[in-house]
Amino acid sequence: MKKVLVILLAVMLVASLFTGCNASSSPQEYDGSAPTYSSSESSAGNDYEPSEGGDALTEGGSTVSFTEKIIYSYSATVETKAFDETIDNVDVLLEQYGAFVENSYISGRSYGNTTYRTATYTLRVPVANFAGLTGSLDLLGNVFNENTSAQNITMQFLDTQSRLDTYRTEEDRLLAILEKADTVEDMISIEARLSDVRYQIESLTTTLNNWQNQVDFSTVTLRIEEVQVLSEQQSVQRTYWEKINDGLQATIKGIGEFFKSLFMRLVIALPVILLLGVIAVIVIIIVRRVRKNRKNNTGPRPPMPPAPPNSPPPPPAPPQQ
């Protein structure tokens, strides 16, 4: 009986591996213009729901309905002069299109006329509302640096689902063999393989669930920057004189911004300048008084007494070398 069970188990494992290889390497014929996959046979026990309708995949005489599996993502930078209002409008768009915030971060502060605040959002929006939300971002401010990507994971999804089906079939067969096992050694051997198979089933199911979640909810990444002046949207092709005109305007604008910033800094530093001026005046007054007192205390020097009449003349000065 023991040898029979071991031989049966070996045959079952070889058959399972052969079935998996055939499932992953067999050609698939698609009927339709944009086919993708959603299994209707083995979706029981999975968290994701099979798509209704769609095209048909014919393989081995069985028909499986499927739809395309595409992951959409979008990123953009938005400039705004009304930062707080823009943040409120983000919440309005979320409610309007059924989206939610997966991650958000706001940093920086506002100092008078100088702004430094930025906000970064990672949003998840239902794929049916993806185009609507990304097309409404003009309501937030000046949108630039847009990027949209689409990743088709249909074949990866098909292959992973096929492997999951193979492991589920092997699990059922191992359970049937385990019921007929009559020795402890056979039971331990079967349960060890059963544990590996169940681990693979959980891993593949988690992968399919994550993919399905990314397919159902597209990712939108927004960076919102608070600025004083919005960037100008210029045409790609500019003539020679238009470029010169743009350069002159940018130079004049830069000079104006420099003097505005300089005047603002002078006004901000005015209390410090006045304090330093008062200290300098006090120091000058003190220095002058000290010098005047020293001059008054010293006074004029008395005159030298006249030399006696019979005194010898002073020796001549030594010659200078």
Side-chain angles (χ1 to χ4, degrees):
M1 181 64 182
K2 177 179 177 181
K3 293 182 178 180
V4 173
L5 286 175
V6 172
I7 294 173
L8 232 128
L9 179 59
V11 171
M12 298 282 291
L13 293 178
V14 172
S16 300
L17 293 175
F18 183 77
T19 305
C21 293
N22 287 341
S24 60
S25 61
S26 59
Q28 299 169 352
E29 299 178 359
Y30 293 93
D31 181 15
S33 57
T36 45
Y37 180 77
S38 174
S39 174
S40 61
E41 289 184 347
S42 60
S43 60
N46 296 342
D47 294 338
Y48 62 87
E49 294 294 335
S51 303
E52 297 180 359
D55 298 321
L57 170 65
T58 301
E59 182 179 0
S62 61
T63 302
V64 182
S65 62
F66 65 99
T67 55
E68 206 167 48
K69 303 294 182 183
I70 300 179
I71 299 174
Y72 294 98
S73 59
Y74 173 90
S75 62
T77 303
V78 180
E79 291 181 335
T80 178
K81 299 169 66 175
F83 187 82
D84 296 326
E85 182 179 351
T86 299
I87 297 300
D88 294 337
N89 289 336
V90 171
D91 296 333
V92 173
L93 289 179
L94 293 177
E95 183 177 357
Q96 180 178 357
Y97 291 100
F100 63 91
V101 178
E102 186 176 62
N103 187 21
S104 65
Y105 178 74
I106 299 177
S107 62
R109 296 181 180 178
S110 179
Y111 302 95
N113 294 329
T114 305
T115 55
Y116 300 96
R117 291 182 292 180
T118 60
T120 303
Y121 284 94
T122 301
L123 311 178
R124 301 298 300 276
V125 56
V127 65
N129 299 333
F130 175 74
L133 188 143
T134 55
S136 301
L137 294 181
D138 291 338
L139 301 175
L140 302 180
N142 183 30
V143 181
F144 66 102
N145 294 336
E146 296 181 83
N147 182 37
T148 304
S149 63
Q151 181 185 5
N152 194 323
I153 61 168
T154 303
M155 298 310 299
Q156 296 95 312
F157 200 97
L158 281 167
D159 181 67
T160 304
Q161 180 65 63
S162 177
R163 292 169 57 195
L164 178 61
D165 294 342
T166 300
Y167 279 117
R168 287 190 182 280
T169 301
E170 184 178 355
E171 180 188 25
D172 295 337
R173 293 174 180 176
L174 288 173
L175 290 174
I177 296 175
L178 184 61
E179 292 180 356
K180 299 179 181 180
D182 54 359
T183 64
V184 176
E185 185 178 353
D186 293 341
M187 295 174 64
I188 292 175
S189 177
I190 296 172
E191 288 178 351
R193 177 57 186 172
L194 187 60
S195 178
D196 294 338
V197 169
R198 285 175 173 171
Y199 172 80
Q200 293 295 334
I201 290 175
E202 292 178 0
S203 177
L204 295 175
T205 301
T206 300
T207 300
L208 290 175
N209 289 337
N210 290 336
W211 280 344
Q212 190 64 43
N213 180 267
Q214 295 180 58
V215 169
D216 294 337
F217 290 88
S218 303
T219 302
V220 176
T221 303
L222 293 179
R223 177 178 173 85
I224 301 174
E225 298 179 351
E226 185 179 19
V227 297
Q228 297 182 26
V229 180
L230 300 177
S231 300
E232 296 181 359
Q233 304 265 348
Q234 296 183 353
S235 60
V236 178
Q237 296 182 352
R238 305 284 290 173
T239 64
Y240 178 78
W241 295 107
E242 286 177 341
K243 292 180 180 179
I244 293 178
N245 184 37
D246 294 339
L248 289 175
Q249 291 182 359
T251 302
I252 295 173
K253 184 178 179 180
I255 294 174
E257 292 294 333
F258 169 77
F259 282 107
K260 285 173 60 179
S261 177
L262 179 62
F263 177 75
M264 181 184 67
R265 294 179 182 277
L266 289 175
V267 172
I268 293 174
L270 187 59
V272 178
I273 296 174
L274 292 177
L275 180 61
L276 294 177
V278 171
I279 294 175
V281 171
I282 294 174
V283 171
I284 293 173
I285 294 174
I286 292 175
V287 171
R288 287 182 177 180
R289 286 186 178 180
V290 170
R291 290 180 178 177
K292 185 177 180 181
N293 291 336
R294 287 180 179 178
K295 185 176 181 181
N296 293 335
N297 293 334
T298 303
R301 293 183 178 181
M304 296 293 293
N310 295 327
S311 62
Q320 297 181 356
Q321 296 181 356

